[in-house]
Amino acid sequence: MHFFSVVKWIAWKDLLSEYRNRENISSMFFFALNVILIFSFSFSLDPETLKEIMPGIIWVAFGFTAIIGLGKSFLIEVNNDCMEYFQCLPVPKGAIYLGKFLGNLLFMLTVEIVLFPLFVLFFNLTLLDQFLPLLLISAVATIGLSALGTLFSALTVQIRAREVMFPILLLPLSVPIFIGAVEATRGALSGAPLSSYQHWIELLGVFDVIFVVVSFWIFEFILDY
């Protein structure tokens, strides 16, 4: 089986499975909605102060939503005894990682795009002019989160305490991503030119490359383990 055929097949399988049951996206969406509601009723601030704390609120919602979605990435394979089949595929095991990574990335981006109008509604924001920069920041940051989340989901999926171990592993290594995402989002929300926060986006891109390459390389050892 061709390397890229495996990548496309696994990503398509995950997308089709999610389309049929909508379990993962639904849980991610409703959790994020609860976070947004809690924050929206907890703060009553002037627009300038709100813009200062809004990047943190956005990425708290996105980050914890990612934990819910990414933590279940390999659960369906374990429940259906498919992990052994993955180990027998006559292709580099990194193809399996890339397929799962692409599926997770699309899940998360879908939820994030749906959530942006909710931030506008509940926090009375005006994001029309900043939508494209925010979309770019979200995409670049989400690539890094998906790369790490897919790797650690495979590592913890067969551990009894996976619900605890997964965030313990994911969150510390995700700190650079969250810092870069929050700072870049702050620049976008303030209406600053792209050049003033471009270095944060570039930093996120560097971490994306590192996390994807390293995860691709060590995934085979995790799968065999």
Side-chain angles (χ1 to χ4, degrees):
M1 190 178 292
H2 194 268
F3 180 91
F4 291 105
S5 297
V6 174
V7 174
K8 291 188 292 184
W9 174 76
I10 292 176
W12 174 250
K13 172 194 68 72
D14 284 353
L15 292 172
L16 185 61
S17 175
E18 186 60 31
Y19 175 76
R20 288 174 175 172
N21 58 49
R22 298 178 179 86
E23 179 181 350
N24 210 8
I25 284 185
S26 298
S27 60
M28 293 166 69
F29 173 76
F30 284 111
F31 178 83
L33 179 60
N34 285 331
V35 172
I36 293 172
L37 286 172
I38 291 171
F39 278 117
S40 66
F41 287 110
S42 299
F43 296 104
S44 180
L45 304 171
D46 60 273
E48 292 303 318
T49 306
L50 186 61
K51 282 186 179 181
E52 286 297 315
I53 66 172
M54 199 63 221
I57 295 174
I58 290 174
W59 285 101
V60 165
F62 287 172
F64 283 100
T65 302
I67 289 175
I68 290 180
L70 295 172
K72 301 177 181 178
S73 180
F74 283 87
L75 197 57
I76 189 172
E77 279 79 14
V78 171
N79 292 339
N80 292 282
D81 298 324
C82 294
M83 297 299 286
E84 292 81 4
Y85 174 73
F86 280 169
Q87 292 173 328
C88 296
L89 285 175
V91 293
K93 302 304 183 289
I96 300 169
Y97 168 79
L98 290 180
K100 300 294 289 188
F101 161 71
L102 288 176
N104 289 332
L105 178 61
L106 291 173
F107 292 155
M108 291 181 59
L109 287 176
T110 300
V111 173
E112 290 172 7
I113 290 173
V114 172
L115 290 179
F116 270 120
L118 297 180
F119 285 112
V120 173
L121 177 64
F122 287 104
F123 292 95
N124 196 26
L125 297 176
T126 303
L127 299 181
L128 188 60
D129 295 336
Q130 294 87 20
F131 179 73
L132 289 179
L134 288 173
L135 188 61
L136 172 63
I137 295 165
S138 296
V140 177
T142 304
I143 289 173
L145 282 177
S146 299
L148 287 175
T150 303
L151 179 70
F152 290 133
S153 178
L155 182 64
T156 61
V157 70
Q158 301 195 63
I159 298 176
R160 184 171 300 176
R162 60 178 176 269
E163 292 84 1
V164 176
M165 291 302 301
F166 178 73
I168 288 176
L169 292 172
L170 177 65
L171 290 176
L173 288 178
S174 301
V175 167
I177 295 174
F178 286 119
I179 292 175
V182 167
E183 293 298 329
T185 303
R186 178 175 290 113
L189 289 179
S190 66
L194 179 62
S195 57
S196 65
Y197 55 89
Q198 182 178 349
H199 59 286
W200 289 110
I201 299 177
E202 293 172 350
L203 180 65
L204 288 171
V206 171
F207 279 109
D208 288 349
V209 173
I210 293 172
F211 289 151
V212 172
V213 171
V214 172
S215 298
F216 175 86
W217 179 64
I218 68 176
F219 183 79
E220 182 169 357
F221 302 102
I222 291 177
L223 194 64
D224 290 340
Y225 176 79

